[in-house]
Amino acid sequence: MTTDSILDLPVENSFARLPEAFYARVQPHPLTAPRLLHANARVAALLGLSEDALGRQDFLDVCAGNRPLTGGRTVAAVYSGHQFGVWAGRLGDGRAHLLGEIATPSGPWEIQLKGSGHTPYSRMADGRAVLRSCVREYLASEAMAGLGIPTTRALALVVSDDPVYRETVETAAILARVSPSFVRFGSFEHWWNDAENMRALLDYVVGHFYPRCGRGDDGGVLSTPDTALRLLDAVVLRTAELIAAWMTVGFCHGVMNTDNMSILGLTLDYGPYGFMDGFRADHVCNHSDTQGRYAWNMQPAVAGWNLYRLADALMVLGLDADALKARLNAFEPAFLRAYQARMAAKLGLGAWLPADQALIDGWWRLLHEARADFTLSFRRLARVEDDAEPFLSLFGDRAPALEWLEKYRRRLEADPRPSDERAARMDRVNPLYVLRNHLAELAIRGAHLGDVSEINTLLMLLRDPYTERDGYGDYAAPAPAWAGGLEVSCSS
Ligand code: AMP
Ligand code: MG
């Protein structure tokens, strides 16, 4: 069942029914002469919107922030957080407006605009988002969904000629995005000193998204501290699985501040993220991250640190510190379990054996020393039993690659299966197409000219990144020389 107008969607406002202290009721600030650059029919379908609905003026009006949802209560949410390891105090939606929540068969989807103008939480900033960063989030969130990695989704991209001042003058855009919830670790941290509001937030999050955490094993309703501990268990697990997924596709988030950590374990707030080209274990994608705090190989530890900040905040509910610590200690084994299962599958192994740790350490060392392409190394490994040449060509010095392959072949002997069957399984977990920086850049250049053909091509490939398609070899290739100087920073 679909509807032909976004104004006919059934809207609820669960978040906006929390106490007033959780948000500010403020309207978006319109862009001048907004235009719909792209709409995502897949996400629209999730909301129950027909393709026709996307071509209507009311769809643009809503996504541009010029019209509220029917029955929607537009708000900007408050949150706090730790940025780069330091308590930043109050942050909040400084350039985002939550329009309301659509109840659908796939659960609730909140619609939020990003770049829709200043709010009481903007501090000194302008409340805007630039086209470049909106295109990057639009593509990356669909790429993540295509990889099967939990993420917020993008509904539409609205552009204008309004100038926005960053390192240079750029133009303003609005990204309409959806998620079951945009609540962050930082939303909890905000109430570290206020048990009443903490309890209200806990009830809201558990009631809507983690109902099992609110019930005891006997089905009875749990007391608040027990509910909080169960929620922490669940968030620890989801976060561990998310980070394992990121690590094994070479994704660096870039700004893993606690205000960018979803309480639902989704990839949230795409900024200076990167899918690695040549592998470096300590790769830093965010050019503003001079200390390398959010390097690829730091992400698991940072996630663990962020969970500590969440747990710290929950202390206001009178939780026992030892009980919290025991919960947090589950992060590392949960991460390792998820990571090892993914790595075993990526290497074509039926199961992870303890001795595989050495094989995988050797794998990362091999890739790191050669700066070998992350995505292609895995993808081509699937064919080494038939022809090792395409794989070996990724390494300047072949001797260490041959040495590692020898160990790998020995390991495969303990897991015999037809090579084509193994290759087919590996191809289902090792993507061929990822959103390399230079591909996003080409789509951005097109978008500036109103040309969405690159966006369309990338969406087509990234929605099913495991299937090779004829004629798209360039999209699977490592970055060309011109892309060497591309940099992404926090300014978005
Ligand atoms: P971010 O690093 O993008 O996750 O943002 C951190 C905080 O800064 C959040 O509170 C954002 O809402 C706010 N913020 C980022 N950019 C802007 C902007 N251009 N205008 C207003 N607030 C912003
Ligand atoms: Mg953020």
Side-chain angles (χ1 to χ4, degrees):
M1 265 269 293
T2 57
T3 131
D4 289 331
S5 166
I6 194 168
L7 298 177
D8 293 338
L9 289 175
V11 177
E12 289 173 19
N13 300 290
S14 312
F15 184 84
R17 280 203 306 269
L18 281 164
E20 295 275 325
F22 280 81
Y23 47 78
R25 293 205 60 178
V26 284
Q27 296 304 312
H29 297 266
L31 297 172
T32 311
R35 310 180 294 277
L36 183 70
L37 185 73
H38 209 276
N40 187 343
R42 294 225 178 162
V43 169
L46 281 177
L47 300 178
L49 280 177
S50 67
E51 292 219 23
D52 286 348
L54 310 183
R56 287 171 53 121
Q57 181 66 34
D58 54 27
F59 183 76
L60 172 60
D61 290 344
V62 169
C63 294
N66 287 332
R67 192 167 179 165
L69 291 170
T70 311
R73 275 171 67 118
T74 304
V75 300
V78 73
Y79 50 82
S80 291
H82 284 79
Q83 297 185 311
F84 291 91
V86 179
W87 175 243
R90 192 183 81 169
L91 298 165
D93 289 334
R95 51 170 169 171
H97 293 80
L98 180 66
L99 301 184
E101 158 205 342
I102 317 300
T104 79
S106 60
W109 289 101
E110 287 185 334
I111 302 182
Q112 189 195 60
L113 305 182
K114 180 171 175 180
S116 40
H118 62 83
T119 75
Y121 314 118
S122 304
R123 295 171 290 164
M124 302 299 283
D126 58 9
R128 291 300 181 199
V130 298
L131 175 59
R132 167 176 55 92
S133 73
C134 291
V135 172
R136 282 173 54 84
E137 174 155 352
Y138 194 85
L139 292 171
S141 51
E142 288 314 283
M144 278 294 183
L147 288 163
I149 300 177
T151 179
T152 62
R153 301 290 298 269
L155 173 64
L157 189 50
V158 172
V159 300
S160 84
D161 296 329
D162 289 342
V164 179
Y165 302 91
R166 296 291 183 262
E167 277 125 348
T168 58
V169 187
E170 303 193 39
T171 54
I174 292 178
L175 181 77
R177 57 183 190 172
V178 307
S179 175
S181 173
F182 291 93
V183 169
R184 304 132 194 279
F185 289 12
S187 312
F188 283 83
E189 288 175 277
H190 188 70
W191 306 114
W192 67 275
N193 206 6
D194 181 334
E196 194 178 325
N197 281 323
M198 182 67 87
R199 212 170 288 122
L201 182 60
L202 178 71
D203 287 348
Y204 167 72
V205 168
V206 168
H208 283 78
F209 307 107
Y210 290 97
R212 287 216 304 252
C213 298
R215 283 192 295 274
D217 296 327
D218 59 359
V221 177
L222 292 173
S223 70
T224 295
D226 283 345
T227 308
L229 288 175
R230 288 209 175 193
L231 176 67
L232 189 60
D233 283 339
V235 176
V236 162
L237 191 62
R238 283 203 200 180
T239 305
E241 288 174 349
L242 178 70
I243 307 300
W246 286 358
M247 298 298 282
T248 51
V249 295
F251 178 78
C252 299
H253 181 284
V255 205
M256 284 177 68
N257 293 336
T258 56
D259 53 301
N260 292 336
M261 297 288 293
S262 157
I263 201 71
L264 301 185
L266 309 173
T267 313
L268 170 66
D269 279 8
Y270 294 85
Y273 68 82
F275 286 87
M276 250 190 270
D277 289 300
F279 178 69
R280 272 188 71 125
D282 53 353
H283 175 72
V284 179
C285 59
N286 178 0
H287 153 74
S288 325
D289 181 7
T290 47
Q291 307 287 312
R293 179 179 174 86
Y294 299 135
W296 177 82
N297 59 2
M298 295 294 286
Q299 295 185 120
V302 166
W305 190 89
N306 288 345
L307 285 161
Y308 258 86
R309 305 287 76 77
L310 173 64
D312 253 350
L314 292 171
M315 293 280 289
V316 71
L317 296 173
L319 299 180
D320 174 55
D322 290 334
L324 281 171
K325 271 220 188 76
R327 275 27 207 216
L328 293 165
N329 287 341
F331 175 75
E332 192 177 320
F335 167 75
L336 286 174
R337 242 185 345 267
Y339 166 78
Q340 289 164 351
R342 282 179 181 267
M343 284 304 289
K346 287 176 79 71
L347 297 188
L349 306 174
W352 169 272
L353 303 177
D356 292 337
Q357 189 59 53
L359 188 71
I360 285 181
D361 289 347
W363 168 258
W364 294 128
R365 245 191 330 272
L366 174 69
L367 266 61
H368 179 92
E369 293 302 329
R371 303 287 184 263
D373 189 80
F374 187 104
T375 304
L376 293 179
S377 294
F378 281 103
R379 186 78 183 188
R380 293 190 184 169
L381 182 66
R383 298 280 174 306
V384 288
E385 286 182 273
D386 299 331
D387 175 11
E389 184 50 33
F391 175 76
L392 289 172
S393 72
L394 297 168
F395 302 86
D397 176 6
R398 293 176 174 215
L402 285 165
E403 210 174 292
W404 186 85
L405 276 185
E406 207 29 59
K407 292 181 190 139
Y408 179 59
R409 288 207 176 96
R410 274 203 299 279
R411 173 64 178 87
L412 294 188
E413 282 165 17
D415 185 11
R417 65 185 77 224
S419 66
D420 56 343
E421 184 200 307
R422 191 190 313 274
R425 279 164 171 254
M426 290 170 76
D427 283 354
R428 284 199 292 275
V429 291
N430 291 316
L432 178 59
Y433 307 106
V434 293
L435 184 58
R436 296 170 186 273
N437 241 339
H438 75 279
L439 297 176
E441 179 65 23
L442 291 175
I444 292 164
R445 289 182 190 174
H448 277 294
L449 305 170
D451 175 357
V452 296
S453 55
E454 283 299 329
I455 293 181
N456 286 329
T457 302
L458 287 174
L459 289 179
M460 183 270 292
L461 295 172
L462 296 170
R463 280 172 172 160
D464 178 12
Y466 304 103
T467 302
E468 183 164 9
R469 290 171 201 274
D470 288 339
Y472 292 93
D474 285 355
Y475 291 84
W482 65 260
L486 290 178
E487 275 178 342
V488 287
S489 70
C490 273
S491 92
S492 58

